[in-house]
Amino acid sequence: DGYTLGIVTAPNLVTNAALYGKLGYDPIKDFSPIILIASTPYVLTTHPSLPVKSVKELVAFAKKRPGELNFGSAGNGSAHHLSGELLNMMAGLKLVHVPYKGTTPALTGLLSGEVSVMFFTVVGIEPHAKTNRARVLAVTTPKRAALMPDLPTMAEAGYPGFEVTSWFGMLAPAGTPPAIVSRLNAESQKALALPDVTGALRKMGFDPVGGTPEQFAAHIRSEVERFTKLA
């Protein structure tokens, strides 16, 4: 009816569709996308003890040691996990997956050196990179991150098409009247243009996105397709 809305996060919405046969809902058919609010990249990160300072050096180091290096994640099917498998696939590596029971223990595993490699959100890893407890190599978005403007993208590091983002957007139930979806989109666009809103999002490491409901719907479809292939 236009009064029941949801804020959804990714990649959960799209990866669940790729990983599980019976969800009880369809991320494409059961919702009316309203707007993609904001997104943030993941960062390819290593423990400082690993003698590499770039993606190229990491790939070369790992190729000489197939099955010896590990990468951590927040659990099977998480964005951290799928990012690591995407690196394995695109670079021809055999990094061993180590799933933790959540983001915090996974980060602890990286910072302690229990795992050598991990993909983590830019806002989560940035303070540890500043104190040299973690070494950052590249971001997983087509454009560089505002919080780490000197850090190259995975594409710049030699892997075009490597893109994994954490994003969130607004959905309504399928069948919500188009006029209501349009009004909610327009009001959300106005909010995203406010300096206070933009500033708050960027302080948390997110880049405001916006766009039309149709663009958000296309984004969801492309994400489901991409992660399904990866899974």
Side-chain angles (χ1 to χ4, degrees):
D1 57 7
Y3 294 92
T4 304
L5 308 174
I7 299 293
V8 295
T9 62
N12 295 30
L13 177 74
V14 291
T15 57
N16 284 348
L19 294 167
Y20 303 106
K22 295 182 180 179
L23 278 179
Y25 65 89
D26 186 308
I28 296 174
K29 296 179 180 179
D30 291 342
F31 300 102
S32 294
I34 296 171
I35 191 169
L36 178 56
I37 298 171
S39 68
T40 188
Y42 287 90
V43 181
L44 175 54
T45 309
T46 65
H47 188 265
S49 64
L50 210 62
V52 300
K53 294 185 178 180
S54 68
V55 177
K56 183 178 179 180
E57 290 182 4
L58 172 63
V59 170
F61 186 81
K63 280 190 173 181
K64 293 177 180 178
R65 298 161 180 82
E68 293 182 22
L69 292 184
N70 51 28
F71 74 94
S73 83
N76 288 320
S78 64
H80 319 85
H81 177 200
L82 294 175
S83 296
E85 296 298 355
L86 183 59
L87 179 62
N88 273 340
M89 186 174 70
M90 293 186 71
L93 303 182
K94 292 185 179 180
L95 301 177
V96 179
H97 177 222
V98 179
Y100 288 85
K101 294 182 179 179
T103 303
T104 300
L107 179 59
T108 301
L110 175 72
L111 298 178
S112 68
E114 190 172 57
V115 292
S116 303
V117 180
M118 188 174 177
F119 284 87
F120 212 78
T121 58
V122 63
V123 70
I125 205 65
E126 189 251 358
H128 303 295
K130 280 185 175 179
T131 57
N132 297 317
R133 297 184 67 200
R135 181 175 293 142
V136 292
L137 305 183
V139 295
T140 62
T141 41
K143 295 181 180 179
R144 295 192 178 195
L147 273 182
M148 295 182 175
D150 296 330
L151 200 61
T153 66
M154 288 295 291
E156 289 174 324
Y159 296 93
F162 193 114
E163 182 179 352
V164 182
T165 60
S166 176
W167 52 262
F168 63 99
M170 187 185 298
L171 300 173
T176 300
I180 292 179
V181 171
S182 179
R183 172 73 187 279
L184 289 168
N185 176 271
E187 297 300 328
S188 298
Q189 295 273 31
K190 291 178 185 177
L192 282 175
L194 296 174
D196 287 352
V197 175
T198 300
L201 287 170
R202 288 191 169 138
K203 189 175 181 180
M204 294 186 290
F206 282 90
D207 292 318
V209 179
T212 66
E214 292 76 20
Q215 288 172 326
F216 187 22
H219 179 72
I220 293 172
R221 288 194 299 271
S222 67
E223 289 271 275
V224 169
E225 181 180 350
R226 191 157 55 89
F227 280 110
T228 298
K229 289 180 180 179
L230 178 59

